[in-house]
Amino acid sequence: MTADTRHLSNRLAIDGGTPVRSTPLPWELPGAYYIDEEEKRLVNQVIDARSPFRFYGLNAQGMVDRLESEWCSTFGHKHALGVNSGSAALHIALAAFGVGPGDEVLVPGYMWVSCMSAIVRTGAIPRLVDIDGSFCMDPADLERKIGPRSKAVLFVNMSGAMGRNDRIAEICRKHNLRLLEDCAQAIGGSLKGRSAGSFGDIGIYSFQLNKNMTSGEGGLLVTEDEDLYKRCVALHDLGYARTAEGRLDPSDERYQYWGIGSRMSELSGAMALAQMRKVRAITAKMREAKWKIREAIKDIPGIALREIDDPAGDTGPVLITVYPTAEACQRFVEAIRAEGVRGPEGSLTCITMREWGMHWYFNIPSLVKKRSNAKEGFPWTHPANAFATDYSYAKGQLPVCDAMSERAALLTVASVLKDADIDDIIAAFRKVGNAFATYMKAAD
Ligand SMILES: Cc1ncc(COP(=O)(O)O)c(C=O)c1O
């Protein structure tokens, strides 16, 4: 008996029928499942050497150095710099571009709070840009929003897949804008053979627990530009370069900044190095499962799928589906959850995008209310930012984001799904899809 005939005739679980499955799906923590002896070996090497600091120590092991050079050779970048989070990497990159008061950074309304935070903390103003069917920044809306204040574009490869990175890069070149590519959610991704992170002036990644690989906390940035790299080195540390012996070197006038203290420790470096060597295997597993599900559900009436131009470059951790109405979306998600397509208690395995919190611009309280870390309201009150006094970040600014936050849903695709789990997910989609077709007809 195949997975779908097993269940298709069943009454929906939400209406009292038998669910497709009863055990929760695995957690949405891709790298965590792959932590094993290799992470232990490299981390222990640092501990045994009693040298957790990257620049010097009793017997420094050079783990962060190795991570950076292997990252460059694996993914094809010139310079890489390990840092202590993706959020820090975003801030460092924008500061290296020289972004500040009087500038706008164009940013999609579907992103993560860290993107807005990085822009605001440099003193610049976020300019919202809508997404398209790729769930990443819409190149056409970007062109509409570029204005005299535009200094940089922060493009985000959302939910594991790339968007129209090549077109965005072309627009940035045409308008002389800096491009920062946020690949926190798409480590190992690519578009037409070109790695995530190589489309902009700087690319950043995060190694936080939910990402394709993890060191618990951590991040990395890449660039082809030596001067930008040196600025980032100074900014991520204490504002200055270091000597070959690892001591601060304030002598070079070009690299005298205020550093933000975001160095990567050797412990994180060791763990990230072990995980980086596995990330292709991790993403291959998720991609294969996700595309099997996509293929099997693509013809279900009433369900549309996120547009992904290059399936081979998708990293696979998230399946996004789109429904005709907000109500249909809610009902569908509730119904497949009832069929057992859900994760352990506290997970975000199967949710409507309404539940996706600060991934949507209007769900970020500090943005909507223009909050400040400083008493006098910087950067919103800065005279150079007076041009943005009337900017609003309340819901209603971006039609596609606003609609997708209501009509789209996501299913996280764990890195350890078994064939039986995949079959169950497909069976649940088909079972609910069948009933859904009847429901949609009745709603017509
Ligand atoms: C798109 C995006 N950018 C930046 C970050 C920030 O990374 P971190 O949590 O390492 O600061 C994250 C993840 O949290 C993210 O999803």
Side-chain angles (χ1 to χ4, degrees):
M1 201 187 278
T2 62
D4 48 356
T5 54
R6 219 182 354 145
H7 300 294
L8 272 176
S9 57
N10 285 0
R11 192 145 59 108
L12 291 188
I14 203 166
D15 297 329
T18 311
V20 170
R21 62 182 283 131
S22 52
T23 49
L25 291 165
W27 284 95
E28 61 273 18
L29 307 172
Y33 283 107
Y34 287 70
I35 297 171
D36 61 17
E37 291 307 312
E38 191 50 18
E39 281 77 356
K40 243 190 239 172
R41 186 179 71 79
L42 293 179
V43 169
N44 279 341
Q45 206 175 305
V46 172
I47 293 170
D48 290 343
R50 296 173 168 163
S51 298
F53 185 58
R54 75 169 291 185
F55 290 118
Y56 51 81
L58 296 178
N59 180 17
Q61 298 294 299
M63 292 294 176
V64 183
D65 287 344
R66 276 156 72 186
L67 170 70
E68 292 165 351
S69 66
E70 279 193 38
W71 194 282
C72 287
S73 53
T74 305
F75 299 113
H77 304 288
K78 193 159 173 200
H79 301 285
L81 176 69
V83 293
N84 64 359
S85 74
S87 302
L90 286 170
H91 183 87
I92 293 159
L94 291 177
F97 290 164
V99 163
D103 298 329
E104 273 182 356
V105 178
L106 297 121
V107 58
Y110 180 50
M111 40 68 242
W112 179 237
V113 58
S114 306
C115 303
M116 296 299 177
S117 174
I119 298 168
V120 172
R121 282 181 294 112
T122 61
I125 295 293
R127 176 85 161 117
L128 295 175
V129 181
D130 216 341
I131 58 171
D132 61 16
S134 71
F135 280 77
C136 294
M137 184 184 276
D138 174 6
D141 199 42
L142 172 62
E143 288 224 272
R144 278 194 289 274
K145 300 284 173 63
I146 291 171
R149 299 288 180 167
S150 304
K151 172 97 175 195
V153 172
L154 202 179
F155 181 86
V156 194
N157 295 312
M158 284 305 289
S159 309
M162 317 273 288
R164 273 84 207 210
N165 305 51
D166 39 5
R167 285 174 57 198
I168 298 283
E170 209 180 292
I171 293 168
C172 289
R173 269 195 303 278
K174 187 169 113 194
H175 293 271
N176 200 23
L177 298 172
R178 287 290 200 181
L179 174 57
L180 170 55
E181 193 188 351
D182 181 341
C183 316
Q185 301 188 4
I187 296 175
S190 61
L191 182 67
K192 296 165 201 158
R194 201 164 147 192
S195 289
S198 66
F199 288 83
D201 298 284
I202 297 180
I204 74 100
Y205 313 85
S206 161
F207 305 151
Q208 180 268 344
L209 188 61
N210 290 88
K211 306 308 186 291
N212 290 348
M213 54 166 275
T214 188
S215 51
E217 297 286 5
L220 189 126
L221 59 84
V222 292
T223 180
E224 297 300 294
D225 182 315
E226 178 147 6
D227 178 50
L228 275 181
Y229 169 69
K230 287 184 173 168
R231 288 190 215 182
C232 291
V233 169
L235 285 159
H236 101 293
D237 196 353
L238 296 175
Y240 306 97
R242 294 235 172 211
T243 63
E245 294 74 40
R247 301 293 168 185
L248 285 166
D249 174 11
S251 64
D252 191 337
E253 298 247 344
R254 290 168 306 169
Y255 306 109
Q256 296 173 341
Y257 293 105
W258 295 106
I260 66 165
S262 293
R263 294 179 301 252
M264 175 175 265
S265 92
E266 283 285 279
L267 292 164
S268 302
M271 191 152 171
L273 179 61
Q275 285 264 300
M276 188 212 75
R277 291 170 175 166
K278 301 172 185 176
V279 77
R280 286 215 160 118
I282 297 170
T283 55
K285 183 91 174 128
M286 296 189 293
R287 180 172 50 249
E288 201 183 304
K290 170 175 162 179
W291 282 82
K292 195 167 170 200
I293 299 167
R294 271 182 68 115
E295 198 48 38
I297 68 170
K298 69 174 199 277
D299 294 326
I300 297 177
I303 300 185
L305 296 170
R306 172 189 188 174
E307 291 165 22
I308 297 179
D309 291 344
D310 180 9
D314 181 11
T315 67
V318 179
L319 172 80
I320 296 179
T321 46
V322 181
Y323 301 83
T325 64
E327 197 208 353
C329 177
Q330 185 74 39
R331 284 179 68 116
F332 200 99
V333 168
E334 281 167 13
I336 54 171
R337 269 189 202 148
E339 297 298 338
V341 178
R342 56 173 187 270
E345 203 55 42
S347 68
L348 298 173
T349 300
C350 180
I351 57 171
T352 66
M353 286 256 188
R354 273 191 222 202
E355 302 162 84
W356 208 206
M358 289 194 278
H359 285 97
W360 297 110
Y361 69 97
F362 51 79
N363 281 339
I364 302 175
S366 299
L367 181 68
V368 174
K369 295 178 190 163
K370 299 186 178 176
R371 295 289 193 218
S372 172
N373 287 353
K375 263 208 308 285
E376 40 58 72
F378 177 86
W380 312 103
T381 52
H382 192 289
N385 288 336
F387 69 90
T389 310
D390 296 336
Y391 283 19
S392 167
Y393 301 98
K395 194 170 184 180
Q397 311 306 311
L398 303 174
V400 182
C401 280
D402 297 353
M404 289 306 107
S405 67
E406 305 254 313
R407 294 203 283 114
L410 65 86
L411 172 72
T412 58
V413 179
S415 58
V416 288
L417 284 187
K418 297 192 169 57
D419 286 348
D421 298 325
I422 298 169
D423 288 345
D424 284 345
I425 292 168
I426 293 169
F429 265 95
R430 287 199 178 143
K431 181 180 171 189
V432 174
N434 255 5
F436 188 69
T438 318
Y439 156 75
M440 287 307 293
K441 260 202 207 105
D444 261 352

